[in-house]
Amino acid sequence: MYEGSFHFVFFSISIAPAGTTQGKMWVSSVKLAADAYLVCLHHALTTEKEEVMGLLVGQFSEGSDVTCDIHSAVTLRRSDKRKDRVEISPEMLIEAQQRAEQMSATSGLQLHIVGWYHSHPHITVWPSDIDLQTQAGYQQMDNRFVGLIFSVYNEDPKTKMGNHQVTCFQATNQSPEGEPPQYVRLSVPLEITPTPSLEVNNQDALENLCATLFEEQREVLEASRELADKQPLDHLHNAAVMVRSVCGLSSSVLGPLVSTVEDRTQRMHIMTQILKQEADYLRKKLKDKKISASVMG
């Protein structure tokens, strides 16, 4: 299993080590593109009060040892507003599949929905019983389907540094036939693979994140508006909360996104300078060779 850590200015993130749970694993390993990982983590960090979720787009390899390559992440609205619940409605699943088909058309690859991700703010990275039941339900549609969990807003007691973890898992039923299912976790080896640039679909996902979060708030306010005549004070309170939440989007989403773009721009500028120096060096070498050849001639 791949293990490593990625260190940023204000926190570190690591891939959780594999557990010892035994069972049949339908996927031997998962490769997560770095820019898709960035979308998932950025989404997870937008709130520390509620779990967020999305779907993963990629492809499976052929053969006995199946590898799942995750190319893109699709952020989704939460259909269940309870803070410790994440569910995907059939409408959102169809919408995500349509996006995957669009990605296939533009990339030339056979892409489809290969998994899902969600966040665990302030709690362990390991899946809960509900997570395992949800994962098992997805595997009934495709037994290769994988799940990612991003544990965020935790603090390392030794370093006092923000500590985030990510794990990949599947679920398997350990109950004897005829008895109620008892699902347990199967840890899937996870590797985050470098990407030279921010892929267009993942860039779109980051740009649309604000709209996704705003739509969640708007749905809550619309439900409150229907009861405004009976509960006017509650509606006013909900409207004020939405205004505060929308204002908070600029700091929780747009601020980090701008910082990410600025960081990438700076790195591209440095790389451009290096390439220019290399080009000047090669031109000089070519010129010297031409002069040397003319002298010898």
Side-chain angles (χ1 to χ4, degrees), residues 222-289:
E222 287 298 325
S224 172
R225 183 173 286 116
E226 295 177 359
L227 302 175
D229 293 338
K230 298 180 180 179
Q231 301 172 336
L233 292 180
D234 287 348
H235 175 64
L236 288 175
H237 171 75
N238 291 333
V241 170
M242 179 176 179
V243 171
R244 184 182 64 181
S245 298
V246 171
C247 292
L249 291 178
S250 61
S251 60
S252 64
V253 178
L254 296 180
L257 183 57
V258 170
S259 298
T260 300
V261 173
E262 290 177 344
D263 179 62
R264 286 181 175 268
T265 302
Q266 183 178 10
R267 281 185 287 169
M268 291 178 63
H269 176 73
I270 294 173
M271 183 59 67
T272 301
Q273 295 301 317
I274 294 174
L275 291 175
K276 285 183 178 179
Q277 293 175 5
E278 183 70 15
D280 292 340
Y281 171 77
L282 293 175
R283 289 194 191 97
K284 184 177 183 301
K285 293 285 289 185
L286 181 60
K287 183 178 180 181
D288 292 342
K289 284 187 176 182

Side-chain angles (χ1 to χ4, degrees), residues 12 16 40 48 63 68-69 83-84 111 115 146 172 174-175 191 202 205 234 236 240 252 274:
S12 68
C40 298
E48 59 179 311
C68 176
D69 285 302
K83 65 179 183 179
D84 59 345
L111 303 177
V146 298
T172 186
Q174 285 196 332
S175 295
E191 176 185 359
N202 289 316
D234 287 348
L236 288 175
S252 64
I274 294 174

Side-chain angles (χ1 to χ4, degrees), residues 5-9 11-13 161:
S5 61
F6 300 80
H7 298 282
F8 297 83
V9 175
F11 64 81
S12 68
I13 184 161
M161 179 184 292

